[in-house]
């Protein structure tokens, strides 16, 4: 039986200081596991820390990858012209760096297609991680972490501009050990439609970032909702930038996804067979109705901005997270690890989109024999024949990525419970960090 969800607090950019403030145990520096991807991820970007220089490809430290793991795939079909997949290269980028009593996760989804979209995502993740790795040691409270996350997004945006990248979403999460408590804190900042979730064996999956899309008047999967990079001049689009906080238990799993994963867990889009949602009414029509919660409020964090005051918006969210819970528990009913979560979610969305890939390949094969036809027109949705539109299989073809971390102390290769004693492995500073600058690119290897 799934228990009640834990309280999630969320705020917009103007009232983030109203979020709960918990004292955190200083973060230890030893890196226990790390990974980046898909493919080379951000391995060509030099990440600078306060005391050393580390290159991300050298941080793929976990052979078994039981606690920190990521994976990315393309859901697109094969292109008979190029011989590869349509939409290549994959523009989703993830990274995870797990230390003894903390973890950083980041995931970006480059808007649209192409090398510059992937470059924007790589720069966003690299710039964000560089700033977090340098400044998280100065955090005394969870509010300090939120401010550092905000400055890391500034660093990410500056890096995108420096490298002439395009637009990208970004979701970054910090798992921290709370002082004088057996709980952990999860601080998240996201812009766009890359989302953060938690999995608990009793509560199932819960979204942490629903505040970034709970007041959208109409749902359009073609629009990310916000982005870093040169959107208006050199300025980013921060309209749905959202700070989120919740507490965690040892053994919980935190995971971030791109919209190629989350959108394909909408039962209306995927139409995959799921016990509770196989025959629901359209959730898209429900989401067109006005929202009942505003992003900014004068109420206290315990009374607003939580998942209990969003009944209308949750119609979509609850369907998505229940679907995710059922898939994760069906594939790995006993040993649900970070690896199992990533694998289960990606296998599910690959299965849900299989018929659509085959359908598109059949259309492309016919178009190759018709000089007046073309895959580009079909993919872009212009001049589509009604008969083809009606018979289009369910699912959303996109790039899909997941990165996950299993919460707990590192004690050898085993998970440990957090200690309530103060940790002096990293000295704290009383001043807040200043926004970081752009990063340097390492030489090719």
């Amino acid at each position: 039986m799934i228990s009640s969800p834990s309280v999630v607090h969320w705020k917009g950019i103007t009232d983030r200081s109203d979020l709960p403030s918990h004292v955190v145990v200083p973060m230890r520096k030893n890196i226990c596991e790390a990974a980046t991807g898909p493919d080379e991820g951000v391995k060509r970007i030099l990440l600078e820390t306060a005391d050393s220089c580390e290159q991300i490809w050298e941080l793929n430290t976990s052979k078994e990858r039981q606690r920190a793991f990521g994976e990315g795939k393309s859901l697109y079909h094969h292109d008979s012209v190029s011989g590869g997949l349509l939409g290549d290269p994959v523009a989703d980028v993830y990274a995870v760096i797990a230390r003894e009593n903390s973890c950083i996760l980041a995931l970006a989804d480059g808007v649209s297609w192409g090398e510059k979209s992937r470059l924007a995502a790589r720069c966003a993740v690299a710039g964000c991680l560089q700033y977090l790795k340098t400044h998280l040691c100065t955090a005394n409270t969870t509010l300090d972490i939120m401010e550092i996350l905000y400055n890391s997004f500034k660093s990410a945006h500056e890096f995108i501009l420096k490298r002439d990248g395009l637009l990208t979403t970004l979701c970054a999460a910090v798992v921290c050990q709370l002082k004088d408590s057996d709980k952990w804190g999860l601080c998240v900042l996201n812009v766009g439609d890359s989302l953060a979730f938690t999995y608990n064996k009793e509560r199932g999956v819960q979204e942490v970032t629903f505040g970034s899309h709970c007041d959208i008047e109409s749902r359009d999967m073609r629009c990310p909702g916000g982005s870093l990079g040169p959107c208006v001049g050199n300025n980013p689009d921060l309209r749905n930038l959202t700070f989120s906080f919740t507490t965690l238990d040892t053994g919980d799993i935190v995971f971030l996804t791109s919209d190629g994963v989350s959108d394909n867990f909408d039962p209306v889009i995927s139409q995959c067979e799921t016990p509770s949602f196989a025959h629901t009414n359209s959730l898209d029509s429900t989401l067109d109705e006005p929202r009942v919660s505003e992003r900014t409020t004068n109420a206290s964090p315990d009374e607003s901005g939580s998942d209990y005051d969003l009944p209308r918006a949750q119609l979509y969210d609850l369907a998505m997270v229940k679907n995710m819970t059922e898939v994760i528990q069906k594939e790995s009913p006993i040993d649900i690890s970070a690896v199992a979560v990533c694998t289960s979610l990606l296998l599910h969305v690959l299965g849900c989109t299989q018929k659509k890939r085959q359908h598109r390949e059949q259309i492309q094969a016919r178009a190759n024999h018709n000089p007046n036809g073309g895959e580009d027109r079909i993919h872009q949705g212009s001049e589509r024949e009604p008969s083809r539109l009606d018979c289009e299989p369910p699912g959303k073809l996109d790039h899909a990525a997941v990165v996950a971390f299993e919460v707990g102390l590192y004690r050898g290769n085993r998970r440990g419970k957090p200690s309530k004693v103060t940790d002096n492995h990293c000295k704290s500073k009383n001043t807040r960090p200043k926004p970081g600058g752009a990063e340097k690119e390492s030489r090719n290897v």
Side-chain angles (χ1 to χ4, degrees):
M1 181 177 179
I2 297 177
S3 61
S4 300
S6 60
V7 176
V8 175
H9 304 270
W10 61 269
K11 292 293 179 181
I13 189 172
T14 60
D15 55 352
R16 60 187 183 273
S17 61
D18 294 334
L19 287 165
S21 181
H22 298 270
V23 178
V24 301
V25 175
M27 300 181 189
R28 303 174 187 174
K29 294 183 178 181
N30 293 340
I31 295 175
C32 300
E33 290 185 87
T36 185
D39 299 323
E40 64 181 12
V42 293
K43 71 179 185 179
R44 295 186 185 277
I45 304 299
L46 187 66
L47 300 181
E48 298 179 356
T49 61
D51 56 352
S52 65
C53 292
E54 297 165 322
Q55 295 169 322
I56 192 67
W57 68 90
E58 295 176 350
L59 300 181
N60 289 284
T61 55
S62 174
K63 295 181 180 179
E64 297 180 353
R65 295 183 177 179
Q66 294 180 340
R67 297 276 307 278
F69 183 72
E71 192 170 2
K73 301 284 185 183
S74 174
L75 304 181
Y76 288 108
H77 54 288
H78 283 90
D79 181 9
S80 61
V81 177
S82 67
L85 296 177
L86 201 69
D88 279 351
V90 174
D92 290 356
V93 178
Y94 66 81
V96 53
I97 301 175
R99 300 180 186 272
E100 291 182 48
N101 69 336
S102 66
C103 184
I104 304 169
L105 303 95
L107 187 146
D109 179 359
V111 178
S112 190
W113 289 355
E115 290 289 349
K116 285 207 169 186
S117 294
R118 180 172 65 171
L119 176 62
R122 286 177 169 174
C123 289
V125 172
C128 173
L129 286 183
Q130 185 272 342
Y131 193 90
L132 292 176
K133 288 176 63 185
T134 303
H135 294 90
L136 277 177
C137 281
T138 68
N140 296 312
T141 68
T142 53
L143 278 183
D144 291 341
I145 294 175
M146 291 295 188
E147 200 65 23
I148 293 170
L149 276 168
Y150 181 56
N151 288 329
S152 77
F153 273 45
K154 293 180 182 179
S155 176
H157 177 70
E158 291 169 4
F159 198 12
I160 294 169
L161 297 182
K162 180 180 178 181
R163 295 289 303 277
D164 295 324
L166 295 180
L167 305 179
T168 182
T169 69
L170 180 61
C171 182
V174 175
V175 178
C176 56
Q177 185 181 0
L178 302 183
K179 188 176 180 181
D180 298 323
S181 173
D182 59 357
K183 293 284 188 178
W184 298 76
L186 176 61
C187 303
V188 180
L189 181 60
N190 79 305
V191 63
D193 52 13
S194 294
L195 308 178
F197 303 85
T198 61
Y199 174 81
N200 176 280
K201 62 182 180 181
E202 295 181 355
R203 295 188 295 268
V205 174
Q206 183 176 2
E207 186 187 350
V208 181
T209 49
F210 59 79
S212 64
H213 55 86
C214 72
D215 62 345
I216 300 174
E217 294 183 358
S218 60
R219 182 161 171 260
D220 185 353
M221 291 186 300
R222 297 167 298 180
C223 177
S227 62
L228 299 181
C231 181
V232 181
N234 284 331
N235 296 320
D237 177 3
L238 303 182
R239 56 184 149 159
N240 78 335
L241 184 79
T242 305
F243 298 80
S244 306
F245 175 82
T246 192
T247 56
L248 303 166
D249 296 317
T250 296
D252 288 356
I253 295 174
V254 177
F255 63 96
L256 315 182
T257 76
S258 63
D259 65 319
V261 175
S262 58
D263 281 345
N264 276 304
F265 273 91
D266 176 348
V268 176
I269 295 171
S270 67
Q271 295 181 30
C272 285
E273 190 171 335
T274 306
S276 302
F277 297 98
H279 304 290
T280 55
N281 294 326
S282 174
L283 295 175
D284 288 332
S285 61
T286 304
L287 290 170
D288 287 338
E289 301 179 25
R291 299 299 184 191
V292 299
S293 176
E294 298 295 332
R295 287 180 57 80
T296 57
T297 176
N298 293 323
S300 69
D302 291 331
E303 297 172 339
S304 67
S306 74
D307 51 357
Y308 294 108
D309 65 348
L310 304 171
R312 196 178 299 276
Q314 279 190 336
L315 290 176
Y316 166 75
D317 299 333
L318 289 177
M320 175 176 62
V321 298
K322 187 168 184 179
N323 197 342
M324 285 181 173
T325 300
E326 291 170 346
V327 166
I328 291 171
Q329 294 179 342
K330 178 182 178 182
E331 295 295 333
S332 304
I334 300 176
D335 183 19
I336 300 177
S337 63
V339 178
V341 167
C342 294
T343 302
S344 297
L345 296 180
L346 285 180
L347 284 176
H348 180 79
V349 299
L350 281 167
C352 286
T353 53
Q354 178 62 24
K355 290 183 179 179
K356 191 158 194 169
R357 281 191 295 278
Q358 294 173 344
H359 178 73
R360 291 287 179 87
E361 288 171 354
Q362 291 171 359
I363 292 177
Q364 187 182 52
R366 291 196 296 268
N368 290 337
H369 299 285
N370 179 8
N372 296 321
E375 169 64 20
D376 290 339
R377 293 191 318 182
I378 295 171
H379 179 76
Q380 297 296 334
S382 59
E383 304 180 36
R384 296 177 70 177
E385 299 176 9
S387 60
R388 287 180 177 173
L389 179 62
D390 293 340
C391 68
E392 180 86 354
K396 175 190 174 186
L397 301 185
D398 202 345
H399 303 138
V402 190
V403 61
F405 171 69
E406 184 180 351
V407 177
L409 284 174
Y410 276 92
R411 291 176 178 171
N413 197 33
R414 297 176 298 173
R415 181 178 67 248
K417 294 184 178 180
S419 171
K420 293 184 180 181
V421 299
T422 301
D423 194 324
N424 293 318
H425 282 255
C426 180
K427 296 181 180 180
S428 299
K429 299 179 181 179
N430 295 324
T431 57
R432 292 186 183 275
K434 297 179 181 180
E439 286 65 45
K440 301 176 182 178
E441 183 186 9
S442 68
R443 64 181 182 274
N444 294 341
V445 293

